[in-house]
């Protein structure tokens, strides 16, 4: 700071960043976090390698505008599913935040998960917290150089592999692997591979908790979803204070349970002291709970000096986690998820649209019959070529007639076909001005896969 | 939780004002990136870039990948300009009126 800056500044613009060296810890919550890392990253790295029904199990094929998700093929017409999924994601966030704070941040956020892996690599090459701090302060000797090099090697390799896997969700990963080996990548694949790799390296290797502090939008508004019954990680001040250690502690008459070992501060990945109360920086990883529980066990005091609790419980009031807010969020979420599942399971692979011919109401075919003309559009949303038949219901003796080059209606996957159809009826039956009929399009090989469209039918009312 | 926005720059020196500006610039870049990602997703789920290219009045030939990328850059740029304007306009101009408002508050 220069001499100009002696005037008091009300607001700190930026704190000079101090590197956080989180101490490694074990315990029941850390076990769950580790499990989450393996499950989530396992899914990410392995899923693209599996095939399903002749194509990659999960593939977002942007050039052909279709998404494969196991047995399901989604087209742009299925946008409603994407929208529903985003709404479900938003409501899950409300629900879980109101229930137990930043569960997402602590266990499932890609930022946390990848940071965790990068920290493991750091521990593997540079040793534990004390060794890492000593190494960073020490001179650039052989030991430091090889350890740092090894760490960078692991980080960069892992980041590139991450970028490769990411692109593998959009381009068939096996072809991509061949192209990488033969150095034959297209410009987009190259860009995204390095871009995502670089983002992983930068975010998980260097920025870490700063992403959560400065860049994450969720971190800024999650506080609005908290109330006094939300489960938060909290230090029990009444039990812990006055904190003291060593000689003072032995001589004190009535010391608090906190032995001031500062392990809870050392294990914190965002570098805060949980004993100062709930803070914006806390990502709810529960590392301090595990660390403190261990210490409490070793000094023979009851566990839970730092624990998941609610603000009301800390104040000694009655606390109830199951409250109307949770029940309402839960009910909405259940409703959304079940309707999503229902819509997905009953989704037809046929998209049909019947548009009446604008030029005429009806045409007289012969002395007994009339006909209405429509334009029928069918899109095949399945993953195989399909043949279709068309029928009409709603009036007795409706007959559907159409002409195509080869006499059958068929569409390739993703193809939109358009065909004029004529629907004939008896004058004696279609004797009102307007009737409502249903046009049914179904697959020849699988008659249960059908789509029904309701249209107007102009009758012979003279 | 969170910080109050800086609306009064009178108490900062040149170097700090520069930092405020870069901070706003960075915020605009990052937030518009997120916004552009969402806009791209929603827009191209409805409109096929290859078809838009066919009916466009400018005659350049682009494939779908290029269309997606161009669309993303377009959304990013315009969201960024919006964000930057917000940042610039949020700071009160150095006028007598603004000074009187500052003194009152």
């Amino acid at each position: 700071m220069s001499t100009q800056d002696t005037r008091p500044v009300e607001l700190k613009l930026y704190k000079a960043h101090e590197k956080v060296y989180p101490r490694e810890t074990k315990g029941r919550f850390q076990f769950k976090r580790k499990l989450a890392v393996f499950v989530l990253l396992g899914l990410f790295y392995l899923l693209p390698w599996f095939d399903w029904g002749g194509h990659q199990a999960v593939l977002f094929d942007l050039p052909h505008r279709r998404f494969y998700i196991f047995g399901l093929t989604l087209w742009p017409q299925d946008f409603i599913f994407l929208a529903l999924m985003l709404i479900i994601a938003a409501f899950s966030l409300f629900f879980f935040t109101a229930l137990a704070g930043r569960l997402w941040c602590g266990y499932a956020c890609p930022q946390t998960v990848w940071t965790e892996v990068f920290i493991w690599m750091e521990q593997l090459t540079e040793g534990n917290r004390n060794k890492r701090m000593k190494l960073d302060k020490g001179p650039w000797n052989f030991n430091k150089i090889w350890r740092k090099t090894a760490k960078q090697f692991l980080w960069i390799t892992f980041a590139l592999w991450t970028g490769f896997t990411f692109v593998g969700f959009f381009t068939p990963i096996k072809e991509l692997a061949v192209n990488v080996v033969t150095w034959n990548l297209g410009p987009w694949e190259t860009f995204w591979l390095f871009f995502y790799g670089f983002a992983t390296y930068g975010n998980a290797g260097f920025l870490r908790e700063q992403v959560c502090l400065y860049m994450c939008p969720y971190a800024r508004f999650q506080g609005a979803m908290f109330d006094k019954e939300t489960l938060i990680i909290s230090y029990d001040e009444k039990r812990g204070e006055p904190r003291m250690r060593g000689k003072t502690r032995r001589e004190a008459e009535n010391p608090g349970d906190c032995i001031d070992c500062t392990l809870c501060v050392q294990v914190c990945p965002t570098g805060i002291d949980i004993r100062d109360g709930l803070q914006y920086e806390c990502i709810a990883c529960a590392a301090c709970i595990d660390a403190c529980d261990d210490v409490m066990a070793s000094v023979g005091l009851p566990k839970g000096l730092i624990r998941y609790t609610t603000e009301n419980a800390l104040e000694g009031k009655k606390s109830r986690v199951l409250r109307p807010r949770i029940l309402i969020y839960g009910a909405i979420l259940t409703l959304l998820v079940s309707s999503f599942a229902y819509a997905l399971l009953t989704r037809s692979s046929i998209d049909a649209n019947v548009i009446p011919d604008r030029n005429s109401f009806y045409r007289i075919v012969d002395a007994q019959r009339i006909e209405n003309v429509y334009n029928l559009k069918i899109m095949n949303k399945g993953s195989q070529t399909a043949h279709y038949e068309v029928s009409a219901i709603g009036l007795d003796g409706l007959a559907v007639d159409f002409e195509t080059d080869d006499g059958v209606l068929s569409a390739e996957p993703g193809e939109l076909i358009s065909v004029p159809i004529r629907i004939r009826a008896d004058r004696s039956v279609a004797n009102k001005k307007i009737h409502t009929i249903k046009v049914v399009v179904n697959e020849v090989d699988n008659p249960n896969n059908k789509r029904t469209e309701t249209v107007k039918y102009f009758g012979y009312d003279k | 939780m969170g910080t109050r926005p800086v609306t009064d720059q009178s108490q900062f020196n040149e170097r700090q004002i520069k930092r405020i500006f870069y901070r706003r610039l960075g915020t605009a870049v990052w937030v518009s990136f997120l916004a552009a990602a969402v806009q791209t997703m929603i827009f191209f789920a409805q409109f096929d870039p290859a078809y838009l290219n066919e009916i466009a009045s400018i005659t350049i030939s682009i494939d779908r990948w290029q269309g997606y990328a161009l669309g993303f850059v377009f959304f990013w740029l315009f969201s960024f300009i919006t964000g930057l304007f917000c940042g610039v306009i949020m700071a009160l101009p150095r006028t007598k009126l603004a000074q009187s408002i500052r003194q009152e508050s």
Side-chain angles (χ1 to χ4, degrees):
Chain A
M1 284 269 167
S2 66
T3 46
Q4 294 172 332
D5 294 340
T6 46
R7 277 181 299 168
V9 174
E10 193 187 334
L11 182 87
K12 270 187 193 165
L13 294 177
Y14 259 124
K15 203 170 76 174
H17 177 235
E18 287 165 28
K19 191 174 173 190
V20 178
Y21 297 88
R23 187 192 175 99
E24 41 293 326
T25 162
K26 281 193 180 113
R28 56 201 170 111
F29 291 111
Q30 296 325 292
F31 174 76
K32 283 175 200 153
R33 290 187 74 212
K34 208 168 262 186
L35 195 70
V37 169
F38 276 103
V39 171
L40 294 171
L41 288 191
L43 281 176
F44 177 79
Y45 289 103
L46 294 179
L47 260 187
W49 294 99
F50 288 103
D51 282 343
W52 188 285
H55 56 78
Q56 191 170 311
V58 177
L59 179 68
F60 305 115
D61 192 351
L62 288 177
H64 297 103
R65 292 176 72 73
R66 62 186 161 198
F67 291 175
Y68 294 115
I69 300 163
F70 298 103
L72 197 72
T73 313
L74 293 178
W75 303 90
Q77 283 77 2
D78 296 315
F79 183 73
I80 178 78
F81 290 109
L82 182 66
L84 252 177
M85 225 168 68
L86 291 177
I87 296 171
I88 289 174
F91 264 97
S92 317
L93 211 57
F94 295 164
F95 175 74
F96 286 110
T97 310
L99 184 70
R102 297 172 72 171
L103 278 181
W104 163 258
C105 303
Y107 295 88
C109 179
Q111 176 64 27
T112 318
V113 170
W114 267 310
T115 300
E116 196 73 358
V117 177
F118 271 60
I119 290 177
W120 293 343
M121 290 179 203
E122 204 167 53
Q123 281 167 7
L124 190 72
T125 49
E126 295 184 1
N128 63 26
R129 179 174 191 263
N130 291 336
K131 282 187 187 158
R132 292 206 299 275
M133 289 165 91
K134 215 171 136 192
L135 194 72
D136 274 359
K137 277 189 196 131
W140 279 95
N141 54 21
F142 175 72
N143 183 42
K144 185 167 176 174
I145 290 171
W146 90 257
R147 280 180 185 280
K148 291 269 174 195
T149 315
K151 179 180 86 174
Q152 292 297 337
F153 174 76
L154 283 181
W155 278 9
I156 291 170
T157 314
F158 189 70
L160 284 176
W161 185 255
T162 308
F164 167 74
T165 308
F166 177 74
V167 178
F169 276 96
F170 298 91
T171 307
I173 200 163
K174 286 169 190 164
E175 289 169 34
L176 188 72
V178 174
N179 287 346
V180 168
V181 174
T182 55
W183 202 242
N184 200 14
L185 285 174
W188 303 106
E189 287 149 355
T190 317
F191 171 76
W192 282 110
L193 197 158
F194 282 102
F195 181 84
Y196 202 80
F198 175 74
T200 310
Y201 176 80
N203 284 347
F206 291 97
L207 291 174
R208 291 186 183 171
E209 80 285 351
Q210 296 180 85
V211 174
C212 311
L213 287 185
Y214 299 114
M215 290 166 75
C216 177
Y218 169 62
R220 300 289 171 113
F221 66 74
Q222 41 92 16
M225 288 177 258
F226 278 55
D227 57 27
K228 291 202 158 189
E229 304 282 20
T230 300
L231 283 170
I232 49 172
I233 292 170
S234 202
Y235 164 71
D236 193 340
E237 217 174 291
K238 281 182 197 146
R239 206 188 117 188
E241 299 298 319
R243 67 181 87 146
M244 49 186 76
R245 63 171 131 184
K247 205 176 159 212
T248 348
R249 186 178 182 83
R250 282 192 296 276
E251 287 166 1
E253 253 177 51
N254 205 1
D257 276 2
C258 176
I259 63 163
D260 204 11
C261 63
T262 71
L263 273 181
C264 56
V265 182
Q266 293 177 33
V267 296
C268 181
T270 64
I272 57 166
D273 187 342
I274 193 70
R275 296 171 300 176
D276 296 342
L278 180 65
Q279 288 149 78
Y280 168 76
E281 289 90 337
C282 175
I283 58 165
C285 69
C288 48
I289 299 185
D290 285 334
C292 191
D293 277 355
D294 269 0
V295 173
M296 287 295 119
S298 65
V299 297
L301 288 166
K303 288 180 178 182
L305 181 59
I306 302 174
R307 62 177 185 273
Y308 270 108
T309 182
T310 69
E311 230 178 298
N312 274 346
L314 276 178
E315 286 170 8
K317 290 178 193 158
K318 233 172 104 183
S319 179
R320 215 179 47 181
V321 176
L322 276 181
R323 54 199 190 277
R325 188 178 188 160
I326 288 295
L327 297 178
I328 292 168
Y329 278 157
I332 296 176
L333 196 59
T334 317
L335 193 75
L336 280 170
V337 171
S338 45
S339 52
F340 180 78
Y342 178 77
L344 207 60
L345 287 174
T346 56
R347 172 185 171 275
S348 163
S349 68
I350 303 171
D351 203 5
N353 203 349
V354 186
I355 303 154
D357 186 1
R358 274 172 301 178
N359 296 325
S360 60
F361 291 115
Y362 60 85
R363 267 186 2 213
I364 293 169
V365 182
D366 50 35
Q368 281 85 44
R369 295 177 300 167
I370 56 161
E371 69 181 16
N372 276 216
V373 181
Y374 304 88
N375 194 20
L376 171 65
K377 284 186 172 173
I378 305 174
M379 178 170 169
N380 179 4
K381 296 200 291 185
S383 51
Q384 251 104 48
T385 307
H387 305 283
Y388 302 104
E389 39 189 29
V390 186
S391 54
I393 49 174
L395 283 173
D396 282 341
L398 286 176
V400 182
D401 194 18
F402 57 84
E403 276 163 31
T404 52
D405 293 342
D406 46 4
V408 277
L409 279 177
S410 63
E412 303 288 315
E415 195 188 350
L416 179 77
I417 54 170
S418 175
V419 60
I421 56 169
R422 295 186 297 274
I423 301 181
R424 291 188 183 146
D426 260 28
R427 279 186 199 182
S428 55
V429 180
N431 53 8
K432 282 193 285 180
K433 194 165 188 185
I434 295 174
H435 299 267
T436 307
I437 62 162
K438 288 191 167 104
V439 176
V440 184
V441 179
N442 67 276
E443 220 179 303
V444 177
D445 302 331
N446 178 16
N448 286 329
N449 186 13
K450 62 182 176 188
R451 173 92 184 213
T452 309
E453 287 290 300
T454 306
V455 286
K456 278 180 191 162
Y457 191 88
F458 293 105
Y460 185 79
D461 63 337
K462 297 204 170 74
Chain B
M1 297 202 254
T3 49
R4 274 189 298 143
V6 181
T7 48
D8 180 3
Q9 300 189 348
S10 61
Q11 57 187 351
F12 297 113
N13 62 31
E14 280 302 311
R15 192 167 147 268
Q16 287 170 319
I17 288 173
K18 215 174 245 176
R19 287 188 92 174
I20 294 172
F21 174 73
Y22 285 129
R23 180 152 205 264
R24 284 194 186 152
L25 199 73
T27 310
V29 170
W30 169 236
V31 172
S32 54
F33 176 85
L34 292 179
V38 177
Q39 290 174 74
T40 308
M41 197 167 72
I42 294 174
F43 183 82
F44 287 119
Q46 305 297 328
F47 302 100
D48 182 350
Y51 178 66
L52 289 181
N53 182 42
E54 276 172 33
I55 59 166
S57 51
I58 25 171
T59 49
I60 46 162
S61 157
I62 51 166
D63 62 18
R64 281 206 178 115
W65 272 122
Q66 288 162 329
Y68 292 133
L70 270 179
F72 179 72
V73 170
F74 179 86
F75 286 130
W76 193 3
L77 191 71
F78 280 85
S79 306
F80 168 68
I81 291 170
T82 313
L84 199 64
F85 267 150
C86 283
V88 170
I89 287 174
M90 255 169 67
L92 291 172
R94 290 171 187 175
T95 59
K96 280 181 183 166
L97 176 71
Q99 266 171 13
S100 67
I101 292 172
R102 276 184 205 131
Q103 277 155 14
E104 275 168 30
S105 58

